Amino acid sequence: MTDFSDIYYASSDGRLPLYARDYGLPQPGSLQTAPAILCLHGLTRNSADFHDLAMHLKRRYRVICADQRGRGRSQWDPDVTNYQPLIYAADMVRLLDYLSLDRVIVIGTSMGGLMAMILGTTARTRLAAVVMNDVGPELDPAGLERIASYTGKTPPAANWAQAAELAKMTNGVAFPNYGPDDWMAFAHRLYAENAEGVPVLAYDPAISGGLKTDTQTPVVPPDLWAMWEALAGLPILAIRGALSDLLSARTLEKMAQRHDGLKTVTVPNRGHAPMLDEPEAIAAIDAFLAELRVSA
């Protein structure tokens, strides 16, 4: 028996087969009426990022982890202008419809958090609550520049040892205490083996187009504060890495000032973005979800 089952469904425009992991129904005796959890990954990542968290949560919740178009096991889009959060969010509405899920708790890392904010304005009734992982309505240009510096530009790896070294090279600033085993595990989330058994990055290099300043399909939507304020009344937990170069402590404070009841936690010794397997992140998510159950 595997830890999850495979979901294949059509994109919002009907052109692409997309993929998601389904960690199934919670164990007997759990609160079966709790909303499912939908996990949304960052720009260059995929559903594998959430495996450890999903294994922790599946005892009490159904957990769905989606690969956005152009990532993981979802098909690459030949029209690269479709690589933008508005379209990804529409794909997620299609996924919810396909699974007959009326409402979900969204856990969004980086770009996934931006998608959650979009869903809050385009499909508010589908959201029961949101966990924002190291992202907010203001994004530090330093972090965006760092991400743009490697997205679609990482040199190829000849083997898994090189893949782990490249993963460390591009992400080491966020995980300063990772050792060799951690980086190998990280590489196995970030890369997939091709037919020759060589690890290749599990995303279409063309997704980097949205990071260019002259693009018409920006990764970062406009009017983020307006989107944030549109989430008023929705339970939200905001997680920040203490070393983050994308979400500043000041922005986190402003988020709390503009959203009554916002829960926040800062994960020590983590940059952008925490993996959500850290004890501090797990404890905060568990407490947040428990409070939702009590108030439901």
Side-chain angles (χ1 to χ4, degrees), residues 131-287:
V131 177
M132 301 272 289
N133 182 22
D134 211 62
V135 67
E138 285 184 22
L139 305 179
D140 191 319
L144 290 175
E145 290 173 8
R146 181 180 59 81
I147 294 169
S149 72
Y150 65 78
T151 302
K153 305 170 186 175
T154 305
N159 51 50
W160 280 108
Q162 285 189 13
E165 284 299 315
L166 289 167
K168 180 179 179 180
M169 180 183 72
T170 54
N171 296 275
V173 66
F175 305 96
N177 63 344
Y178 266 21
D181 291 344
D182 298 308
W183 287 117
M184 184 59 72
F186 195 101
H188 278 276
R189 291 189 292 263
L190 193 60
Y191 288 77
E193 282 190 356
N194 63 15
E196 290 74 40
V198 176
V200 293
L201 285 165
Y203 68 84
D204 181 355
I207 64 171
S208 63
L211 289 169
K212 299 174 183 177
T213 57
D214 60 349
T215 183
Q216 298 300 309
T217 58
V219 164
V220 182
D223 297 325
L224 290 178
W225 279 114
M227 288 186 177
W228 178 251
E229 289 165 358
L231 300 179
L234 192 70
I236 301 179
L237 167 65
I239 298 172
R240 176 180 181 268
L243 308 177
S244 178
D245 60 358
L246 193 74
L247 177 64
S248 71
R250 176 56 184 151
T251 296
L252 189 62
E253 291 175 4
K254 290 171 64 176
M255 290 165 66
Q257 292 166 2
R258 300 192 188 192
H259 189 96
D260 290 340
L262 178 69
K263 309 293 185 183
T264 67
V265 64
T266 297
V267 180
N269 214 28
R270 287 290 181 270
H272 182 76
M275 288 301 302
L276 304 183
D277 58 0
E278 300 87 357
E280 298 84 359
I282 290 287
I285 292 171
D286 282 347

Side-chain angles (χ1 to χ4, degrees), residues 4 11 34 54 83 111-112 136 162 165 193 211 215 272 291 294-295:
F4 55 86
S11 60
Y83 287 144
M111 184 187 75
Q162 285 189 13
E165 284 299 315
E193 282 190 356
L211 289 169
T215 183
H272 182 76
E291 187 171 321
V294 170
S295 60

